[in-house]
Amino acid sequence: MKRICVLPGDGIGLEVVGCAVRVLEAVAPGIELLHADIGQSAFAEHRSYLPEDTLELMRTCDSTLFGAVTSSSDPGYTSPVLTFRKSLDLYANLRPVKSLVRAVPKPAIDIIIVRENSEGLYHQEEAVDVEGVTTHRRVTRRGCERIVDFAIGHARERKRHDICCVHKANVLRRSDGLFLDVFRERMANAPDLAAKDQLVDSAAMFLVTDPRRFDVMVTLNLYGDILSDVAAGVAGGLGFAPSGNIGPEHSVFEPAHGSAPDIAGKGIANPTATILAAAMMLDHIGMSREAREVEAAVSGTYSSGHLTVDLGGRHGSGSFTDHVLQRMGA
Ligand code: ATP
């Protein structure tokens, strides 16, 4: 039996994970769901934002479904998300972005963004001196090789045609230059996929004006973080973007959005990103049939006109999920 660690976290994390759990229970009643604490609630209970027991459960389960955490201004705060990404070696961040709603007056988008998840500016080394602060940005050959190889493998698996390397090698000649060199080297051995590259600033513009020019995008950590939110905006908003953090042994799936304290507790958060993250997780643990069933139910719910509050519709988290479950025959 597959075992899944469930970490709702804070704010709307609780609400949207609750919706995704209802969908998982309906589509895959055989999997075991084990809840644990992370974020503010974990701190209140265990004096840790990521208790060791939670991390151990994540290590021993087949995968994890995570909601969101609210950051703290406490000077001793360390992000539990960055900690689990590092501890579990989740080096690849996978963010598929696809338009589901025809009502959105934006160009159609269907892109897979593969973001390096373990280094770059998220290395979190900042040195303070009398004049200011220097932030260390780490780009290693191994880091570049494994993220490019991951993108190639994923593109093939998903029957995609091209990969675009997004960088700023004209300014960051050594670090982004290394990333671009590795991309070209690895793509030379992948003749079945077309290799493209684009500077990050113009890539941001094309994502908004002409997203159809991208198929799979591979990029460094901060660029990927920003571009995937831009892409989510084109698809309809943050409530639509699922993501997967994937490593050689472990994986964590989550919505790309945060804990949204401004709407927490109101029942209006869009649960789509988290339900689709749960579908990505099912795929990852070998339950592709169930994953497709969930995706079809979500897209069918939108195409039959049931829109969530963030799109100007009337459905809150619960009633939208009711419709998804209905379409699954649950
Ligand atoms: P983080 O730093 O954790 O990424 P953030 O400050 O970028 O968080 P989010 O929590 O992602 O913020 O929210 C950004 C905005 O998007 C907020 O106004 C929020 O209400 C909205 N938002 C985020 N997720 C959803 C959702 N699932 N449904 C509706 N609106 C959302």
Side-chain angles (χ1 to χ4, degrees):
M1 182 197 279
K2 299 283 184 193
R3 296 168 72 244
I4 302 299
C5 172
V6 178
L7 306 177
D10 307 318
I12 63 167
L14 290 161
E15 300 159 48
V16 292
V17 167
C19 297
V21 161
R22 288 176 64 201
V23 171
L24 282 174
E25 283 170 346
V27 77
I31 61 180
E32 191 182 359
L33 301 171
L34 300 143
H35 284 67
D37 291 329
I38 190 168
Q40 305 292 339
S41 53
F43 191 78
E45 184 93 349
H46 314 276
R47 308 305 293 166
S48 165
Y49 294 99
L50 180 62
E52 193 43 53
D53 285 355
T54 298
L55 199 54
E56 190 49 30
L57 188 65
M58 295 171 85
R59 272 199 195 97
T60 54
C61 279
D62 292 285
S63 188
T64 294
L65 180 67
F66 164 59
V69 291
T70 305
S71 313
S72 158
S73 52
D74 170 2
Y77 177 77
T78 46
S79 158
V81 177
L82 294 184
T83 306
F84 73 61
R85 283 179 184 168
K86 202 171 192 163
S87 308
L88 303 178
D89 194 19
L90 306 174
Y91 70 90
N93 190 282
L94 190 57
R95 296 193 171 190
V97 185
K98 189 172 175 179
S99 311
L100 290 174
V101 191
R102 263 172 279 143
V104 175
K106 307 234 174 76
I109 187 167
D110 183 2
I111 300 177
I112 297 173
I113 299 177
V114 179
R115 159 186 167 195
E116 203 293 318
N117 212 22
S118 61
E119 37 186 58
L121 274 172
Y122 289 69
H123 193 55
Q124 284 193 304
E125 230 184 87
E126 297 194 303
V128 180
D129 59 38
V130 284
E131 287 176 2
V133 183
T134 305
T135 302
H136 192 73
R137 181 173 180 271
R138 182 88 176 138
V139 178
T140 66
R141 172 165 274 278
R142 175 172 176 263
C144 295
E145 286 174 352
R146 64 181 189 167
I147 198 64
V148 171
D149 289 345
F150 181 93
I152 292 172
H154 194 75
R156 284 181 172 146
E157 219 177 279
R158 298 283 138 169
K159 307 207 173 351
R160 296 291 181 134
H161 306 289
D162 66 69
I163 306 184
C164 181
C165 172
V166 177
H167 61 87
K168 191 73 183 170
N170 57 338
V171 176
L172 299 165
R173 288 169 183 256
R174 303 291 291 274
S175 53
D176 282 30
L178 172 63
F179 178 52
L180 184 57
D181 285 348
V182 166
F183 173 75
R184 288 181 173 145
E185 282 165 31
R186 300 307 241 219
M187 289 299 285
N189 297 319
D192 51 319
L193 294 164
K196 300 177 181 170
D197 75 275
Q198 186 81 47
L199 293 174
V200 63
D201 39 358
S202 50
M205 180 199 67
F206 286 129
L207 264 180
V208 174
T209 59
D210 185 18
R212 266 168 282 217
R213 68 167 62 210
F214 299 112
D215 190 15
V216 174
M217 210 180 241
V218 63
T219 191
L220 296 171
N221 208 336
L222 183 65
Y223 305 151
D225 192 14
I226 297 169
L227 292 180
S228 52
D229 277 22
V230 173
V234 176
L238 278 175
F240 286 84
S243 87
N245 301 275
I246 298 168
E249 288 176 43
H250 305 288
S251 58
V252 176
F253 294 84
E254 57 173 315
H257 60 73
S259 64
D262 54 334
I263 57 166
K266 296 184 178 162
I268 55 168
N270 185 343
T272 303
T274 316
I275 296 173
L276 292 178
M280 285 175 78
M281 183 188 73
L282 289 170
D283 228 348
H284 191 74
I285 61 172
M287 301 177 77
S288 307
R289 186 189 57 75
E290 290 83 351
R292 298 292 89 74
E293 200 181 322
V294 173
E295 288 167 357
V298 169
S299 102
T301 302
Y302 279 113
S303 48
S304 60
H306 295 289
L307 299 187
T308 43
V309 172
D310 52 337
L311 287 177
R314 62 184 175 84
H315 285 297
S317 326
S319 65
F320 179 81
T321 308
D322 292 342
H323 280 282
V324 172
L325 290 169
Q326 241 172 51
R327 292 194 82 83
M328 287 166 40

